[in-house]
Amino acid sequence: QQQVKQSPQSLIVQKGGIPIINCAYENTAFDYFPWYQQFPGKGPALLIAIRPDVSEKKEGRFTISFNKSAKQFSLHIMDSQPGDSATYFCAAKGGGADGLTFGKGTHLIIQP
Amino acid sequence: DAGVIQSPRHEVTEMGQEVTLRCKPISGHDYLFWYRQTMMRGLELLIYFNNNVPIDDSGMPEDRFSAKMPNASFSTLKIQPSEPRDSAVYFCASSSSRDTQYFGPGTRLTVL
């Protein structure tokens, strides 16, 4: 059972554009929603995270939008740069469990 | 801080052999997680420890997999006997809270 569904699988955006990656979850006990960035040959690195008591969180060029009623959250990257090209994973955890449930990932390419 | 350290970085072995992956968490972190990443299944939680005690091993695929954490600075994931379908990248992550998890660089395992 896939508890976190992520889309799109891949995304190509021109430099300066705003890529948007979406995730939907099923488990209403989830209460922590991080986004991870992974470069080839490296481990995932935390970008930004949100809890369901807020609808938006911004850190630098990265913004999470959260819709609790729809059980959806998304990542927006402002003023995207070629260096942002990576695979992005959404994740979730909660309900007394500490392990993360990950989406399948989005391969993002920012073209110069 | 050196971050999470994993060894070896690459392992190639033959079917039926025993494989041991090692992890040194960030000093002071009391949670340690083992994840597996494959193209087909993405990132999956295998097992996690809190204060060296296994808390949830429901993600361990079979009895061929075992994990230990003899002290706060060391954990192992063992596969015996290994099979070609175990080929994947295995990540260790640690955390000092119940939220932010820091991932190591991973061990790429190839079972021939």
Side-chain angles (χ1 to χ4, degrees), chain A residues 32 36 38 41-44 46 51 89 93 96-100 102 104, chain B residues 9 31 33 35 37 40-41 43 45 48 91 98-101 103-105:
Chain A
Y32 174 72
Y36 279 80
Q38 185 178 30
K42 306 291 186 182
L46 179 67
R51 289 199 170 272
F89 294 92
K93 78 173 186 74
D98 294 297
L100 291 167
F102 283 89
K104 286 294 181 71
Chain B
R9 292 295 312 278
Y31 284 86
F33 304 83
Y35 291 88
Q37 186 175 36
M40 288 293 293
R41 301 177 65 88
L43 272 160
L45 176 69
Y48 78 93
F91 289 104
R98 300 189 71 173
D99 289 345
T100 305
Q101 296 182 21
F103 282 71

Side-chain angles (χ1 to χ4, degrees), chain A residues 5-6 8 10 13 16 34 39 51 57 60 64 68-70 75 85 90 92 102 106:
Chain A
K5 294 183 179 180
Q6 184 172 344
S10 60
V13 173
F39 293 104
R51 289 199 170 272
K57 184 175 181 179
I64 299 179
K68 186 175 181 178
S69 61
L75 176 70
S85 299
C90 63
F102 283 89
T106 295

Side-chain angles (χ1 to χ4, degrees), chain A residues 38-44, chain B residues 2 4-12 19-24 34 37 88-92 103-110:
Chain A
Q38 185 178 30
F39 293 104
K42 306 291 186 182
Chain B
V4 175
I5 299 173
Q6 292 187 245
S7 64
R9 292 295 312 278
H10 302 274
E11 177 81 31
V12 180
V19 175
T20 300
L21 312 182
R22 297 172 175 79
C23 175
K24 176 178 170 57
W34 283 100
Q37 186 175 36
V89 181
Y90 291 81
F91 289 104
C92 175
F103 282 71
T107 295
R108 180 174 295 277
L109 174 64
T110 302

Side-chain angles (χ1 to χ4, degrees), chain B residues 20-56:
Chain B
T20 300
L21 312 182
R22 297 172 175 79
C23 175
K24 176 178 170 57
I26 294 172
S27 177
H29 284 191
D30 55 354
Y31 284 86
L32 184 138
F33 304 83
W34 283 100
Y35 291 88
R36 178 172 68 174
Q37 186 175 36
T38 61
M39 290 294 293
M40 288 293 293
R41 301 177 65 88
L43 272 160
E44 301 174 285
L45 176 69
L46 298 177
I47 185 172
Y48 78 93
F49 297 81
N50 178 219
N51 292 320
N52 312 338
V53 177
I55 303 300
D56 182 0

